[in-house]
Amino acid sequence: MKIPSTAACLWLILTQFVPAAATPIADTIHIQKSVFETITGMPKKTDFLHVNLNTRFGFHGTLEGTGQEKAAFKADFLRLQITGDITDRIYYKWFQHINRSNTPNSLDNMPSSIDCLGIGFHITPALSAFIGKQYADYGGFEYDANPAEVYEFSDYGNYMTCFLVGADLIWQVTPTQELRFQIIDGRSNTAEETYSLLPPGYEPAKVPLGYSFNWNGNLFDGRLLTRWSFSFFHEGKKDNIYLLGLGTAWRQDKFSLYADVFYSAEDIDKLGILSEISALTPQGYQVTDCSYLSVISRVDYRPLSKWNFFLKGFYETSSLRKDNPDMEEGKYRTTYGYQGGVEYFPMKENLRFFLVYHGRQVDFTRRARLFAPACPQTQTLSLGIVYNIPIF
C-alpha cells in the first residue's frame, strides 16, 4: 500500500522530536499538575472540580477499492470531562462532546453530545448508585475502553447506542468482584423516530426500558479480568432484545490480551445493520427477528515503558432468524476487521503518539447482493496523537 506523501512527511517530522526507546529522557511536562497549577504555580486544594479535555487528532490516508486515495487531518475525538466530589458520599460526572449536535432527543430530552451527566451516591463502602445519562453496562473490553483510545470500533461498537438515561446500582462484593444492575431507557427518541419505517402491525412498548446485569471480575492478582453482562430491552408490545456480552482479558507486565464475544437476538432490528439492507428492498422497513454475532480481540506487547505494539481483529455476522417480506431467513453480511499499530508514550499514560493501519472488509451473501451494492475493502493509515489534557 502506498503511504500518502503528506503522512510520510509528518512521520519524518515526528521522528525528529520523539527520542529513541534506548535513550530515556526526563518528562518535560509535569502531568501530575493541571494546566491551572502549571500557569498559576498554586497547588489545587479541592476535589470538588476536576476538568480534563480528552482528545484525539489524526492524519488519515485512505486507500479504497476504487484505487482513489483520500487523506485529511481530522479531530477524531473531543470530549470535555468534568467530575468532582460534592461530599464524601455524593459525586457527579459530566462528559460533553464538543463536536456533536446539541439538539435534545425527544424521549429523554438529552442531546447526543452528552455521553454522561448525573449524580452518584456512595450509599455504603460497598454499595453505590448513579442516576442520569450514562454508558449502558453491555460488558466487553472494546466497549469499556476510553473511546479516544479505540482507533476503529467494530460494527457492534459503531452501531450500538451506548449512552442512555437511567439508574445504575453497583455492589462491590469484594475488592476484586463487582456486580452491577442497571435500568435505562431503551432508546433516546420515540419508536417512530428511532426506526425509520416500522414493520406492519408493530406496537411500540408503553414502557421501553432496558435492564442489564454485569459482572466485573479481577482474578489471579489482577491477571484475569472479566466484563460479562446480560441485557434485556422491551422495545415493542411483543418485541424484545436479548444481548449477551462476554469480555475476558489476561494481563501481564509486558503483555495483555482480551477477547470479547457479543450475541444479540432482536425481535426488532435495534442494531440497524440489516435494516440498511432492507431499506433497499421494494417495501423497505425495519426488519424483525434478526441476530448479530461479534468476536473482537486485541493483543498488546510493551517491551519498553514508552513503546507499545498491538494487533486487533474482529469477525462479525448479521442474520435473519425468520423470513421477512422480500428477505428470506439466513446470513446477509460478514465483516472482517484487522488493525496493527505502534504507540509511543513520551510522558505518562495520558499522552501518546500513534501510527495505526486499519483494514476492513464487508462481504454480502447472495441474499444481500440482490439488494445491496458491493462494498469494497477499505484500508487506512493513521498518524496522530491522543492526549487527555488535565485542565484543572
Side-chain angles (χ1 to χ4, degrees):
M1 182 183 72
K2 181 182 178 182
I3 301 174
S5 58
T6 309
C9 293
L10 284 174
W11 177 246
L12 290 173
I13 293 171
L14 180 62
T15 55
Q16 300 304 310
F17 293 94
V18 175
T23 311
I25 63 171
D27 295 342
T28 57
I29 300 176
H30 302 291
I31 70 159
Q32 302 301 326
K33 295 182 179 180
S34 66
V35 173
F36 169 81
E37 292 172 295
T38 302
I39 293 176
T40 64
M42 300 170 56
K44 184 179 174 182
K45 298 181 179 180
T46 178
D47 288 327
F48 181 78
L49 180 65
H50 301 279
V51 182
N52 292 278
L53 182 60
N54 201 0
T55 67
R56 186 176 80 233
F57 295 92
F59 180 84
H60 308 284
T62 302
L63 180 65
E64 297 186 350
T66 59
Q68 297 178 348
E69 291 186 358
K70 297 180 180 179
F73 289 97
K74 186 178 179 181
D76 299 316
F77 191 83
L78 297 173
R79 187 170 73 177
L80 190 65
Q81 301 179 166
I82 303 173
T83 62
D85 296 326
I86 299 173
T87 70
D88 290 341
R89 294 199 169 202
I90 303 175
Y91 65 96
Y92 67 92
K93 291 182 181 180
W94 178 14
F95 294 172
Q96 174 85 45
H97 280 272
I98 299 175
N99 52 350
R100 279 192 191 170
S101 170
N102 289 314
T103 303
N105 297 310
S106 61
L107 186 64
D108 62 19
N109 202 32
M110 280 274 193
S112 59
S113 60
I114 295 178
D115 282 350
C116 182
L117 178 59
I119 302 294
F121 304 90
H122 297 293
I123 303 169
T124 72
L127 192 65
S128 61
F130 188 84
I131 301 172
K133 192 169 186 181
Q134 58 199 277
Y135 70 91
D137 286 335
Y138 294 140
F141 284 88
E142 181 193 68
Y143 178 79
D144 192 53
N146 179 350
E149 300 172 7
V150 182
Y151 302 113
E152 185 176 18
F153 279 95
S154 61
D155 281 349
Y156 169 84
N158 277 327
Y159 280 83
M160 179 60 72
T161 301
C162 301
F163 301 99
L164 296 160
V165 178
D168 201 7
L169 186 67
I170 304 103
W171 179 24
Q172 196 71 42
V173 183
T174 70
T176 61
Q177 305 297 316
E178 179 184 82
L179 298 178
R180 290 172 173 255
F181 177 70
Q182 184 182 59
I183 303 176
I184 52 177
D185 287 336
R187 52 181 182 267
S188 299
N189 291 299
T190 65
E192 290 78 11
E193 293 168 323
T194 302
Y195 306 121
S196 53
L197 289 173
L198 293 174
Y202 178 83
E203 294 184 42
K206 294 182 179 180
V207 185
L209 295 178
Y211 310 86
S212 290
F213 181 76
N214 183 276
W215 170 46
N216 297 329
N218 184 323
L219 307 170
F220 303 113
D221 295 325
R223 295 197 181 279
L224 182 64
L225 307 176
T226 63
R227 297 288 185 272
W228 292 10
S229 73
F230 176 76
S231 302
F232 167 82
F233 287 84
H234 184 48
E235 287 286 327
K237 186 176 180 180
K238 299 180 180 179
D239 300 278
N240 300 314
I241 311 296
Y242 306 90
L243 172 62
L244 179 66
L246 302 174
T248 305
W250 181 264
R251 293 181 178 174
Q252 294 181 217
D253 294 338
K254 296 182 179 182
F255 169 83
S256 64
L257 163 70
Y258 75 72
D260 294 338
V261 179
F262 296 98
Y263 178 78
S264 65
E266 308 184 359
D267 292 341
I268 186 169
D269 187 14
K270 186 175 182 67
L271 206 62
I273 295 176
L274 288 169
S275 293
E276 292 181 351
I277 299 175
S278 73
L280 304 174
T281 67
Q283 298 192 47
Y285 53 86
Q286 202 80 9
V287 303
T288 60
D289 301 299
C290 57
S291 65
Y292 295 97
L293 173 67
S294 181
V295 180
I296 308 159
S297 185
R298 172 167 163 156
V299 179
D300 287 78
Y301 177 61
R302 196 161 183 170
L304 298 169
S305 63
K306 294 181 182 292
W307 290 92
N308 183 59
F309 300 86
F310 73 90
L311 293 172
K312 178 181 176 181
F314 49 86
Y315 166 83
E316 299 173 280
T317 63
S318 308
S319 307
L320 286 181
R321 295 180 288 122
K322 295 181 182 179
D323 290 345
N324 277 235
D326 298 324
M327 296 178 68
E328 63 181 10
E329 175 186 352
K331 185 165 71 173
Y332 279 75
R333 167 174 162 150
T334 302
T335 302
Y336 306 91
Y338 36 94
Q339 301 173 27
V342 56
E343 299 169 316
Y344 176 76
F345 299 81
M347 302 188 311
K348 299 288 185 180
E349 300 300 320
N350 73 326
L351 172 64
R352 73 186 69 180
F353 296 96
F354 64 84
L355 178 66
V356 180
Y357 166 78
H358 321 257
R360 181 186 290 260
Q361 180 176 336
V362 178
D363 289 342
F364 290 118
T365 64
R366 173 193 56 80
R367 302 178 184 90
R369 288 197 298 269
L370 296 175
F371 315 106
C375 187
Q377 178 182 0
T378 60
Q379 300 180 68
T380 305
L381 190 66
S382 299
L383 172 69
I385 182 173
V386 177
Y387 192 12
N388 187 19
I389 306 170
I391 297 176
F392 183 84

